[in-house]
Amino acid sequence: MYFGTPVVLISTCNEDGTFNLAPISSVFWLGWRCVIGISAFSKTTENMLRTRQCVLNLPSAGQVAAVNKLARTTGTNPVPQGKLLKGYRFEADKFGTAGLTPVGSHIVAAPRVNECPVQLEAVVEAVHSLAETDDVQRGRLLTIELRIQRVHAEESILMDGAPNRVDPDKWRPLIMSFQQFYGLGAQVHESTLAQIPEALYHSVDMDRAHGN
């Protein structure tokens, strides 16, 4: 059941002040809220539960090589047995491993990935456990609700005449479908929903974010 979703690089702060960076592709957005699905035992999860902060960095298809360098790496030492069986290794410097550059965020302590055209500073709002009725899986999988605090988007991907909207013809996000990397193709049909003015999607979360 690993249908295609965008790839996200989540950056977080380790307890010693260094940074962790991890790719995920179980994610969706509703307004200025984001929900991710993640293992309860990952370093990213540990950092997010401790600091209540992260940055969601969205790579383009052109950054696929950097993203792939993070595959089967973990910031947890020693490597958990389940990940050892899958061939994971410990890497302390995830940014260096991927050849990516950390840059300071405006609101949260976690860094942004300079090379990613979209970077979303976020705080943890809620954590929910999946498979609560399953004795085998209980406590192993989590969904984490995040509230976006600040959006950073490269000017090159913004829509002409509408600076608050990303132009999908200018940006090709990296997609993972059944554990394989893909990019987006050409638009297949005009969208009626796209005709709705962006201002009509305004929410209280946006006001809270602008006010930090």
Side-chain angles (χ1 to χ4, degrees), residues 8-168:
V8 176
L9 294 176
I10 303 185
S11 47
T12 55
C13 292
N14 296 321
E15 60 274 11
D16 62 0
T18 60
F19 305 133
N20 190 58
L21 187 65
I24 69 164
S25 58
S26 296
V27 56
F28 70 90
W29 284 265
L30 284 173
W32 277 48
R33 302 276 169 147
C34 174
V35 176
I36 65 170
I38 195 167
S39 166
F41 308 116
S42 75
K43 189 65 176 179
T44 294
T45 303
E46 175 188 321
N47 287 344
M48 292 176 68
L49 296 183
R50 187 187 69 257
T51 66
R52 312 299 288 188
Q53 298 180 344
C54 70
V55 179
L56 305 169
N57 305 276
L58 280 68
S60 289
Q63 277 109 39
V64 61
V67 173
N68 199 43
K69 289 177 182 177
L70 293 170
R72 295 201 291 189
T73 66
T74 178
T76 301
N77 189 23
V79 180
Q81 183 61 29
K83 288 192 172 182
L84 277 176
L85 293 173
K86 298 181 178 74
Y88 279 70
R89 70 184 189 279
F90 169 69
E91 288 288 352
D93 183 8
K94 293 288 201 70
F95 276 89
T97 297
L100 297 171
T101 310
V103 293
S105 295
H106 293 183
I107 297 175
V108 304
R112 296 175 287 135
V113 177
N114 187 58
E115 290 80 4
C116 288
V118 176
Q119 307 142 6
L120 309 174
E121 300 183 42
V123 294
V124 174
E125 284 287 308
V127 179
H128 303 280
S129 178
L130 297 183
E132 279 291 293
T133 61
D134 190 315
D135 292 339
V136 176
Q137 298 188 86
R138 185 185 305 115
R140 302 180 63 85
L141 299 171
L142 301 176
T143 59
I144 301 180
E145 178 189 346
L146 302 165
R147 180 163 55 88
I148 306 305
Q149 295 289 281
R150 182 147 297 179
V151 176
H152 304 265
E154 283 185 4
E155 187 174 348
S156 62
I157 67 171
L158 299 181
M159 189 174 291
D160 295 337
N164 290 327
R165 304 189 75 162
V166 171
D167 189 333

Side-chain angles (χ1 to χ4, degrees), residues 168-169 185-195:
D169 285 326
Q187 182 180 2
V188 297
H189 197 281
E190 182 180 350
S191 170
T192 300
L193 282 177
Q195 299 170 8

